[in-house]
Amino acid sequence: MRRVTLTQFLIEQQRAGRTTPELRLLIEVVARAVKAISVNVSKGALAGVLGEAGTDNVQGEAQKKLDVIANEILLQANEWGGHLAAMASEEVEEVHQIPFDYPKGGYLLLFDPLDGSSNIDVNISVGTIFSVLRNPEGVGEPTEKNFLQPGREQVAAGYALYGPSTQLILTVGNGVHGFTLDREMGSFIYTHPFMTVPEETQEFAINASNARYWEPPVQRYIAELQAGKTGPRGKDFNMRWVASMVADVHRILTRGGIFMYPLDEKCRDKGGKLRLMYEANPMAMIIEQAGGAATTGRERIMDVQPTKLHQRVPVVLGSAAEVERVTQYHLEA
Ligand code: P6P
């Protein structure tokens, strides 16, 4: 069967009026950067890139060497193309401006360059998450304010999963499409057209060690899943927790499930654990485009009006029926 590459897919989306040439270039550049990150991640100990970088990120978390490498790759790959007005990264406090000697474009790119990096040293899948917004017209040098748009304004979102194979999952607002990296050719091959989240599921993903901190609606929901056949759900459920959001979300996108990092007593003062702008929003766009649902437990994630670039938010996403049930339990509380 003739293999369709990411480039051909994007050209066809552009022909159909779903992407602009600038957005097509942006995605191609991000895909090239992701290939370079994949090469570094897959070298592991052979390239001296494991372990701590000896620095902390904006979240006060110790950075891994690969966090810093992945961040640099994405910043440098996207500076010169003329498609971006500015960038924002989980690893960098301030908005990253386009160097003055390059032209600016109409888009804002946000990313978590290497999500789940605590898994790197134990060789478990990690990923890159990205989100694309339009830069508001005529507002001069982009500031944090330009980025503070609700997730429903995203024009594209995606992630790369560095697993047994490297996959790029992408939406430009017309369904979710998966590509697998052919390392010999160096190209992403279109392998998963129109991915959809199964409505029903028997798998849930949550860090169960936080159970004593959960709010009552979450306690109630998880207790029912754990009761299995003998409980009100009348069927057994399985639990999976990779502690790498990209890996957990990809499993849910592929075979269904619900992913929860809810508000709890431990993360309440920070507003949640996961970041809104470059983790929750892009994943929410992907999951909704695949027929699933994504909320904070109380409201649609993509309707949250951001107030800070690095703000956190509770996340409940996946099979629509399950997410709806969690929302219902919050309303009944
Ligand atoms: P915990 C990784 O650090 C991350 O941001 C997500 O990728 C992941 O879902 C979550 O945190 C894991 O959190 O508390 O289980 O370590």
Side-chain angles (χ1 to χ4, degrees):
M1 184 179 81
R2 196 169 65 81
R3 308 194 322 171
V4 174
T5 62
L6 174 65
T7 301
Q8 179 178 344
F9 172 84
L10 291 172
I11 289 279
E12 288 167 357
Q13 293 297 311
Q14 184 180 321
R15 253 185 224 131
R18 296 192 193 102
T19 55
T20 64
E22 247 191 6
L23 180 58
R24 177 165 63 82
L25 172 63
L26 185 162
I27 295 167
E28 297 239 55
V29 168
V30 168
R32 252 196 309 282
V34 153
K35 280 190 276 191
I37 295 170
S38 176
V39 166
N40 280 277
V41 165
S42 60
K43 282 181 182 159
L46 299 177
V49 294
L50 298 184
E52 308 286 335
T55 51
D56 287 353
N57 68 10
V58 62
Q59 326 290 342
E61 295 160 346
Q63 288 177 304
K64 300 285 186 183
K65 287 177 191 160
L66 274 171
D67 280 324
V68 176
I69 292 169
N71 189 51
E72 282 306 313
I73 287 172
L74 278 159
L75 292 176
Q76 287 163 16
N78 281 285
E79 283 180 335
W80 48 266
H83 50 284
L84 293 181
M87 286 182 256
S89 165
E90 181 200 34
E91 299 299 327
V92 183
E93 173 74 35
E94 304 301 326
V95 168
H96 183 84
Q97 301 297 342
I98 300 301
F100 72 92
D101 42 348
Y102 293 131
K104 285 191 173 57
Y107 293 104
L108 299 171
L109 176 64
L110 304 94
F111 50 80
D112 179 356
L114 206 60
D115 181 71
S117 51
S118 58
N119 283 320
I120 290 171
D121 296 347
V122 293
N123 199 24
I124 287 175
S125 300
V126 291
T128 296
I129 312 172
F130 67 92
S131 168
V132 184
L133 294 166
R134 286 188 188 81
N135 184 43
E137 295 296 320
V139 286
E141 171 142 297
T143 62
E144 177 174 0
K145 202 164 166 301
N146 297 50
F147 287 84
L148 300 183
Q149 305 174 39
R152 62 177 179 269
E153 298 301 323
Q154 294 173 107
V155 293
Y159 61 80
L161 176 58
Y162 310 111
S165 67
T166 287
Q167 285 188 279
L168 179 69
I169 305 299
L170 170 71
T171 182
V172 292
N174 176 43
V176 176
H177 304 277
F179 301 82
T180 303
L181 179 62
D182 175 335
R183 290 185 186 283
E184 285 150 26
M185 298 293 290
S187 43
F188 277 107
I189 305 301
Y190 189 24
T191 50
H192 294 74
F194 291 102
M195 299 179 82
T196 54
V197 179
E199 260 285 314
E200 299 295 328
T201 183
Q202 284 178 265
E203 276 186 337
F204 66 100
I206 193 165
N207 179 341
S209 72
N210 292 328
R212 62 189 182 284
Y213 301 117
W214 296 335
E215 297 177 313
V218 175
Q219 302 269 4
R220 173 185 170 192
Y221 177 73
I222 298 295
E224 288 182 357
L225 302 186
Q226 288 170 326
K229 267 205 277 289
T230 62
R233 301 300 304 272
K235 65 179 183 179
D236 288 341
F237 284 78
N238 207 351
M239 196 193 96
R240 290 281 181 275
W241 187 250
V242 184
S244 205
M245 186 185 196
V246 175
D248 282 314
V249 171
H250 186 71
R251 185 190 58 254
I252 288 163
L253 177 62
T254 308
R255 67 183 191 211
I258 183 167
F259 173 96
M260 300 174 78
Y261 215 112
L263 198 61
D264 65 31
E265 289 320 307
K266 207 163 76 167
C267 65
R268 181 180 299 283
D269 60 335
K270 292 181 183 164
K273 157 91 178 190
L274 302 175
R275 287 85 177 184
L276 172 62
M277 298 304 293
Y278 37 77
E279 287 178 341
N281 270 339
M283 290 309 201
M285 182 178 185
I286 289 166
I287 291 295
E288 287 198 7
Q289 281 286 319
T295 75
T296 63
R298 293 177 167 85
E299 66 174 305
R300 184 179 178 233
I301 284 177
M302 290 210 283
D303 287 338
V304 174
Q305 175 54 53
T307 53
K308 292 197 305 296
L309 188 58
H310 297 291
Q311 80 183 62
R312 298 170 189 256
V313 71
V315 176
V316 178
L317 62 78
S319 298
E322 293 303 320
V323 173
E324 180 46 42
R325 181 184 286 265
V326 173
T327 306
Q328 189 51 37
Y329 288 6
H330 278 83
L331 291 173
E332 290 169 7

